[in-house]
């Protein structure tokens, strides 16, 4: 290149460098995000509110416990996310299987030079020029190739990765089981509270207003010194304590109705008529604690998830062992070049190649040790979960027994308070007792009725907690929740035993031919019943 052309090239190079620098600077400034404005947040909130209200599904007729659970399973966003996660993990399994296929790539291009790629040759021994300038490539030509490669070690690693992904899909199934069980437990608890509120709130509000009126009158009497200060203070203390309990219970019952409306996906101001009311509880005749403990260890989703996590960790051990082995692979390609100066412009190539990473031989034992530690940690974590499950099962059994005792106490208190209210009304009518004392006994009687109604609901909840602690599926994780009527019928059939105070049969024969503790309700795959100790599997075997 001449000096004149070089002097012209330098400014062009400088301008190009400045343009590239300016482009990089602009890109760097564009990477830094700008915070959303208040207007953006308002628009987003309005859009979310409109989307939530648009998804409300009208409630047809009365609301039973089965309908509430079915609607929650169908419309609750957490349950939908858990279902979508299963679908996502299953797609990941298919993608992992594709990673085991050979690599197949196609490449094509076109090049053009301003002059021919001419060159001379120098003899190696004599260091003399042996040929004139010549070229074997046209100025413009196109080339393309398709290549195939497959490595045994990469395929093996992909195989174990696919197995890991298949276990993750099974973990997603168990995670959805847990989400369903948690949702059923929450809906059941909220429904019984709302049912108690439906019965007691209409009677609660007038009593609270009467008590507030009587308390204000007592303050006026104290100001006018119409009665003994000590008697007035004692009376006010009793009224305030009972009034505080009534207000607290009222807030809890109203809150339960709001929460229930959220679960079943209806507007908060929509009137609900609950028809499944807490009736007299039939205590479970006998609770076989060892059988329930074994059922919990078999069926709890958390333990099953941890088993799959341990299998996932074990695949890492196999992968690290495989990385220490030599990788043997086959390669092949077909090529085409439009260069007319070539004698063969279409040709094929095939070969075998073996490679080994020497660094893996050094760090491999340590990597295998780390992977084995992951398996051991998962084992210990599962043992810790097993202890926690056993504790939860025993606590749920104890709470159920305590709830039965509390129900009996609440029933007796309710009977006594109703008798006191009746006698107070008679005495007030005869003029032997003040109106304030009559209202105070009426409040105490209502508080006793509230306690008894809530004790009934808590007993039903305690029985449902036993089901949750042992991992019984009210609705299988793979059940179809699109058909609301079918889902409602399935839920109603499943909770019929709950309302009758019956636990599932814990002496059903297992797959080994012995006597196990698998419960009667069974998970399903595509509405086809299978045994409870069977789990839907993915494409890769365990």
């Amino acid at each position: 290149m001449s000096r004149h052309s070089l002097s012209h090239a330098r400014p062009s190079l400088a301008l190009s460098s400045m343009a590239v620098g300016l482009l990089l600077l602009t890109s760097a400034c564009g990477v830094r995000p700008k915070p959303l404005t208040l207007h953006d947040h308002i628009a987003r909130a309005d859009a979310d509110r409109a989307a939530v209200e648009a998804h409300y599904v009208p409630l047809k007729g009365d609301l039973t416990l089965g309908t509430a659970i079915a609607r929650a399973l169908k419309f609750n966003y957490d349950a939908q996310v858990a279902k979508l996660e299963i679908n996502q993990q299953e797609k990941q399994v298919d993608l992992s299987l594709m990673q085991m296929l050979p690599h197949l790539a196609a490449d094509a291009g076109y090049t053009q030079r301003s002059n021919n790629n001419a060159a001379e040759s120098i003899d190696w021994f004599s260091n003399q020029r042996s040929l004139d300038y010549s070229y074997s490539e046209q100025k413009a030509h196109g080339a393309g190739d398709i290549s195939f490669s497959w490595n045994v070690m990469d395929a093996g690693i992909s195989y174990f990765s696919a197995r890991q992904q298949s276990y993750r899909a099974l973990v997603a199934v168990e995670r959805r089981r847990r989400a369903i069980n948690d949702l059923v437990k929450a809906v059941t608890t909220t429904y019984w509270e709302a049912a108690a509120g439906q019965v007691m709130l209409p009677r609660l509000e007038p009593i609270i207003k009467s008590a507030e009126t009587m308390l204000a009158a007592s303050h006026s009497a104290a100001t006018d010194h119409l009665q003994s200060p000590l008697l007035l203070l004692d009376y006010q203390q009793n009224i305030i304590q009972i009034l505080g309990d009534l207000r607290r219970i009222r807030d809890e019952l109203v809150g339960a109705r709001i929460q229930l409306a959220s679960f079943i996906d209806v507007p908060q101001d929509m009137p609900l008529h609950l028809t499944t009311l807490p009736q007299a509880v039939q205590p479970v005749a006998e609770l076989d604690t060892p059988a329930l403990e074994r059922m919990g260890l078999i069926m709890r989703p958390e333990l099953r998830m941890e088993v799959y996590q341990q299998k996932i960790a074990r695949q890492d051990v196999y992968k690290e062992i495989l990385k220490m082995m030599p990788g043997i692979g086959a390669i092949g390609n077909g090529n085409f070049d439009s260069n007319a100066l070539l004698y063969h412009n279409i040709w094929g190539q095939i070969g075998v190649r073996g490679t080994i990473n020497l660094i893996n031989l050094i760090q491999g034992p340590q990597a295998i040790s780390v992977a084995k530690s992951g398996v051991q940690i998962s084992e210990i974590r599962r043992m810790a979960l097993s202890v926690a499950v056993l504790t939860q099962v025993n606590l749920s059994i104890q709470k159920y027994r305590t709830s039965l005792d509390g129900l009996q106490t609440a029933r007796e208190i309710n009977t006594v308070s109703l008798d006191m209210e009746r006698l107070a009304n008679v005495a007030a009518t005869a003029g032997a007792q003040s109106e304030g004392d009559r209202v105070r006994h009426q409040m105490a009687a209502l508080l006793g009725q509230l306690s008894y109604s809530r004790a009934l609901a808590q007993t039903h909840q305690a029985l449902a907690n036993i089901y949750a602690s042992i991992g019984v599926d009210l609705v299988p994780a793979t059940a179809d929740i699109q058909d609301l009527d079918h889902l409602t019928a399935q839920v109603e059939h499943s909770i019929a035993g709950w309302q009758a105070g019956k636990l599932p049969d814990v002496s059903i024969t297992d797959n080994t031919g012995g006597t196990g503790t698998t419960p009667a309700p069974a998970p399903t795959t595509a509405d086809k019943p299978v045994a409870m100790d069977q789990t839907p599997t993915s494409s890769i075997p365990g």
Side-chain angles (χ1 to χ4, degrees), residues 249-268:
I249 294 175
R250 178 191 60 184
D251 293 340
E252 293 176 358
L253 296 178
V254 173
R257 185 238 170 257
I258 295 174
Q259 186 66 35
L260 181 61
S262 175
F263 278 135
I264 64 176
D265 195 39
V266 295
Q268 296 294 332

Side-chain angles (χ1 to χ4, degrees), residues 210-468:
S210 298
E212 292 173 345
T213 302
M214 297 303 298
L215 185 61
S218 176
H219 287 303
S220 299
T223 303
D224 298 335
H225 304 285
L226 299 178
Q227 293 182 7
S228 170
L230 183 59
L231 293 176
L232 286 173
L233 290 175
D234 181 65
Y235 174 78
Q236 291 174 8
Q237 184 183 31
N238 291 333
I239 292 294
I240 291 173
Q241 288 178 348
I242 296 177
L243 189 59
D245 292 337
L246 293 177
R247 286 171 175 169
R248 175 179 54 79
I249 294 175
R250 178 191 60 184
D251 293 340
E252 293 176 358
L253 296 178
V254 173
R257 185 238 170 257
I258 295 174
Q259 186 66 35
L260 181 61
S262 175
F263 278 135
I264 64 176
D265 195 39
V266 295
Q268 296 294 332
D269 56 351
M270 180 177 180
L272 301 176
H273 183 241
L274 282 60
T275 57
T276 306
L277 302 179
Q279 305 298 331
V281 176
Q282 299 295 331
V284 177
E286 183 180 356
L287 292 174
D288 190 350
T289 301
L292 293 176
E293 289 177 345
R294 186 165 184 259
M295 185 189 298
L297 293 177
I298 294 173
M299 297 309 304
R300 280 292 290 270
E302 296 86 347
L303 289 174
R304 291 189 170 194
M305 289 167 59
E306 198 56 50
V307 171
Y308 293 134
Q309 291 292 349
Q310 185 177 1
K311 291 182 178 293
I312 291 173
R314 188 172 288 114
Q315 308 310 306
D316 286 330
V317 178
Y318 302 149
K319 289 165 67 174
E320 295 299 335
I321 294 176
L322 195 60
K323 288 179 181 179
M324 297 180 62
M325 298 180 179
I328 301 176
I331 58 174
N333 54 58
N335 304 271
F336 166 79
D337 198 322
S338 64
N339 181 15
L341 300 179
L342 292 177
Y343 183 75
H344 295 291
N345 64 342
I346 299 177
W347 70 98
Q349 183 177 349
I350 191 171
V352 178
R353 177 177 299 175
T355 60
I356 184 171
N357 191 330
L358 300 178
I359 300 299
N360 284 345
L361 296 178
I362 301 175
Q363 68 181 13
Q366 182 67 23
I368 294 174
S369 177
V370 171
K372 289 183 177 179
S373 298
V375 177
Q376 295 174 357
I377 291 173
S378 181
E379 177 83 17
I380 296 174
R381 188 164 53 238
R382 193 183 77 249
M383 296 305 298
L385 280 174
S386 298
V387 174
V389 167
L390 293 175
T391 303
Q392 292 173 8
V393 171
N394 283 272
L395 283 176
S396 64
I397 294 174
Q398 180 60 35
K399 288 182 178 179
Y400 176 69
R401 290 169 176 165
T402 302
S403 68
L404 292 176
D405 295 337
L407 179 61
Q408 178 64 26
T409 302
R411 183 184 293 113
E412 294 174 355
I413 293 175
N414 183 43
T415 301
V416 172
S417 60
L418 288 176
D419 291 340
M420 291 179 63
E421 180 188 17
R422 179 176 54 81
L423 294 176
N425 290 334
V426 173
T429 303
Q433 193 178 44
S434 65
E435 181 65 17
D437 289 334
R438 188 190 67 81
V439 172
R440 182 164 59 86
H441 284 96
Q442 189 178 14
M443 291 172 59
L446 180 60
L447 188 60
Q449 290 177 312
L450 281 170
S451 299
Y452 177 62
S453 179
R454 300 189 71 191
L456 280 172
Q458 290 170 1
T459 305
H460 285 286
Q461 296 168 17
L463 186 59
N465 287 339
I466 295 180
Y467 281 85

